[in-house]
Amino acid sequence: MTATVRAWAELLRISALFTVPGDALAGAAAIGRRPGRGTALAVGASLCLYEAGMALNDWADRDEDAVDRPHRPIPSGRITPGAALTAAGALTAAGLSLAARAGRPALTVATGLAATVWAYDLHLKHTQAGPAAMATARALDLLLGATATWGAGAKPERSDTRTVTTPGGPATGLVRTPAPIPGPAGKPRRGPIARLVGRGARTLANSAVDAQPRHGEPSRQAALPLRAALPAAAVLGAHTYAVTAVSRHEAHGGSTVAPLSALAAVIALGATAVREQRGHGDVPPAPGNGATGDNHRLVPGAPAPSNTPHGTSPRLLVTALTGAYLRTAAEPLLHATLNPSPPLTQRAVGSGIRAMIPLQAALAARAGAAGTGLAVMGLVPLARTLARKVSPT
């Protein structure tokens, strides 16, 4: 019994599971909502889809693993290929079911995520599109947290009310002003990952508009939460791209370019995370939000406060979390660059996976959700402890 449990733990790479909840929590923070029922459903769906990908990955690689990794559960005979494939299908169905309970927009994002996971494991990971597909999957996971949290009507994390004059008389406008991650001159970054995620997100946003009509408001406003989460999704996707590119060499090593490129990407992402936020965008109240009503609703055209603090997170906390991200990811990548042996390359990949946790925490804190960021960081000791027993790669 103990041997069977360990075999499944290795197949599903349970030590990497702790990198998943932070996606949904960072997504909720990106749209200015407190974690709620929708966030919990998104976390559950993400965990199921992530584990489905792990099981499907080993099923698809069983012949390759028989040569390069004979100790893995399937080639060693501890788990049959049929059991692994069945687990992948069941976990996918469970993940989609949980996402459906958070609303149709969340189900739409989860369906795209599941399709990306299966496409990657069955074909794309052996092509040049492999890292981009994995990056897209991680970015969609963060967007799943944003859409599920918004669709379930979570309360605003921080908001500002002000009275404005409308043709019908004075009204109170609830204004939410999250700030996207900036690029040069304060403009949002639109790198390759951001453009890739953006194309899919526009389609998903249109589905969200159709599925969540607003009462007396332009339906297009329903797409704004998804757009607000795109910068954070792009950052997480870029990190995933870099780590995945290195992982393609972990079995045989020998590549200096991959870890060096990943190291440069990690440093750039760290600099982006600590940069002061600029830019504003309005996010409408979540549907069904008890904190909003006739006297606390978004007034179309209401001016944003000129001195709002919502885009400003505690600089010290964000800096500390970003430092934890750099310490976790950068040093092993430097070692793999200097000596690209299989053990050091595998260590760099494992550290890169665990580094997602402080990166998620930094993104949440940077969006103004300091408590969420600290909660995400609480997963680090658990991930580190389990990584000593079960490899995350």
Side-chain angles (χ1 to χ4, degrees), residues 45-364:
S46 298
L47 290 171
C48 288
L49 293 176
Y50 188 87
E51 292 292 47
M54 294 297 101
L56 184 64
N57 176 78
D58 275 27
W59 178 84
D61 285 352
R62 60 192 185 279
D63 294 334
E64 178 183 332
D65 286 346
V67 177
D68 295 331
R69 305 178 187 87
H71 61 280
R72 294 293 301 163
I74 292 179
S76 65
R78 290 176 291 160
I79 294 178
T80 65
L85 184 60
T86 299
L91 287 166
T92 299
L96 294 177
S97 177
L98 287 170
R101 296 180 62 184
R104 288 176 58 190
L107 177 60
T108 301
V109 178
T111 301
L113 173 57
T116 303
V117 168
W118 279 72
Y120 174 83
D121 282 336
L122 296 180
H123 176 65
L124 293 179
K125 68 180 171 183
H126 296 300
T127 70
Q128 293 298 319
M134 182 64 80
T136 300
R138 183 63 77 159
L140 285 172
D141 202 32
L142 187 145
L143 295 178
L144 174 59
T147 53
T149 301
W150 174 78
K155 294 182 180 180
E157 179 74 36
R158 298 177 68 182
S159 60
D160 185 37
T161 57
R162 56 170 29 199
T163 301
V164 298
T165 301
T166 64
T172 301
L174 179 62
V175 181
R176 162 68 185 159
T177 56
I181 292 172
K187 295 181 180 179
R189 282 190 185 275
R190 296 293 294 171
I193 297 299
R195 289 195 296 270
L196 178 65
V197 175
R199 293 190 195 105
R202 281 191 290 272
T203 301
L204 295 170
N206 291 334
S207 300
V209 170
D210 296 336
Q212 296 289 344
R214 306 291 297 165
H215 297 290
E217 297 178 10
S219 61
R220 184 61 59 183
Q221 291 176 354
L224 292 178
L226 192 59
R227 294 172 185 165
L230 279 176
V235 169
L236 198 59
H239 173 82
T240 305
Y241 185 102
V243 174
T244 305
V246 177
S247 72
R248 295 161 74 90
H249 304 279
E250 65 177 330
H252 304 287
S255 174
T256 298
V257 175
L260 180 60
S261 300
L263 178 61
V266 164
I267 294 173
L269 291 173
T272 298
V274 297
R275 189 177 300 152
E276 187 71 26
Q277 294 193 25
R278 304 184 188 92
H280 300 287
D282 293 341
V283 177
N289 183 357
T292 62
D294 293 337
N295 295 325
H296 293 82
R297 63 182 181 276
L298 176 69
V299 178
S306 59
N307 58 349
T308 178
H310 304 321
T312 304
S313 55
R315 300 290 298 166
L316 184 59
L317 177 60
V318 175
T319 301
L321 294 174
T322 303
Y325 163 65
L326 291 173
R327 284 195 306 274
T328 304
E331 183 179 351
L333 285 170
L334 177 60
H335 291 165
T337 300
L338 297 175
N339 179 12
S341 62
L344 289 181
T345 302
Q346 292 167 12
R347 180 172 176 265
V349 173
S351 297
I353 293 173
R354 292 194 303 275
M356 290 180 184
I357 299 177
L359 180 58
Q360 294 158 347
L363 290 173

